[in-house]
């Protein structure tokens, strides 16, 4: 039976549960998660997200602006969407619409770069309205898309070249 907050959650009634430590549960989620305030201030990171960042950086991020989190991620070699895309998506998410941010492939990125898609989910019941961020490693998918798109692009270039060149037809007979 769901609560008034979560219609699809399957929890026992709170009165029947021993005290749940939701902070502990959040920290143990296997996927990288964070929580942002409406102004983009980092409120918290779980252990999975903290583990992706440079040593010691995660401890300094709560209370810092989103730009600090993005800078720490870049320092760690994580490829995320651009800061302006984050700001626009945060505003849309705060209006109640979840957002996905997928970074663009970088032409000069190392083969070992990891691309992370961010899902921004509003927490509408909270006042002020918070945003939960989940990161997903989409490196394999993006690189596979690039690999299939590149031959198609090369074929299109070849087709353009052959259609642009003048084509002459010669006919001859035995007399010349």
């Amino acid at each position: 039976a769901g609560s008034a907050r979560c219609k699809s959650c399957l929890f026992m009634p709170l009165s029947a549960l021993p005290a749940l430590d939701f902070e502990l549960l959040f920290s143990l989620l296997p996927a990288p998660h964070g929580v942002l305030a409406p102004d983009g201030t980092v409120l918290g990171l779980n252990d999975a997200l903290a583990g992706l960042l440079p040593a010691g950086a995660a401890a300094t991020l709560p209370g810092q602006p989103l730009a600090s989190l993005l800078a720490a991620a870049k320092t760690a070699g994580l490829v995320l969407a651009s800061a302006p895309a984050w700001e626009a998506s945060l505003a849309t998410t705060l209006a109640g619409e979840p957002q996905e941010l997928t970074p663009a492939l970088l032409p000069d990125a190392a083969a070992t770069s990891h691309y992370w898609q961010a899902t921004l989910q509003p927490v509408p019941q909270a006042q002020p309205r918070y945003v939960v961020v989940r990161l997903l490693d989409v490196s394999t998918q993006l690189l596979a898309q690039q690999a299939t798109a590149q031959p198609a692009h090369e074929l299109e270039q070849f087709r353009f070249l052959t259609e642009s060149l003048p084509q002459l037809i010669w006919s001859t007979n035995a007399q010349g």
Side-chain angles (χ1 to χ4, degrees):
S3 69
R5 289 180 154 186
C6 182
K7 303 288 185 224
S8 61
C9 295
L10 299 174
F11 284 108
M12 293 173 46
L14 288 178
S15 59
L17 285 174
L20 281 176
D21 186 346
F22 284 98
E23 189 175 330
L24 175 65
L25 292 175
F26 177 75
S27 73
L28 294 175
L29 290 173
H33 283 78
V35 179
L36 302 176
D39 65 355
T41 300
V42 177
L43 298 176
L45 309 171
N46 73 349
D47 293 348
L49 181 51
L52 295 174
L53 301 175
T60 65
L61 287 173
Q64 297 294 315
L66 175 61
S68 297
L69 173 60
L70 297 177
K74 186 175 183 177
T75 300
L78 308 180
V79 181
L80 300 171
S82 67
W86 274 86
E87 291 168 10
S89 291
L90 182 60
T92 304
T93 301
L94 289 169
E97 188 177 324
Q99 296 288 299
E100 283 188 353
L101 288 167
T102 303
L105 285 170
L106 302 175
D108 58 342
T112 59
S113 293
H114 285 273
Y115 294 85
W116 293 86
Q117 180 183 62
T119 301
L120 284 68
Q121 180 69 42
V123 182
Q125 297 86 357
Q127 289 303 326
R129 186 173 274 182
Y130 299 113
V131 174
V132 175
V133 177
R134 178 183 55 90
L135 296 182
L136 177 66
D137 187 347
V138 293
S139 304
T140 304
Q141 295 91 327
L142 288 178
L143 294 172
Q145 285 175 357
Q146 181 187 34
T148 58
Q150 190 172 6
H153 178 69
E154 290 171 358
L155 180 61
E156 191 61 36
Q157 285 180 329
F158 179 72
R159 180 178 292 136
F160 175 76
L161 179 65
T162 57
E163 289 175 357
S164 298
L165 293 174
Q167 297 178 8
L168 300 175
I169 300 174
W170 296 83
S171 64
T172 66
N173 59 23
Q175 285 78 26

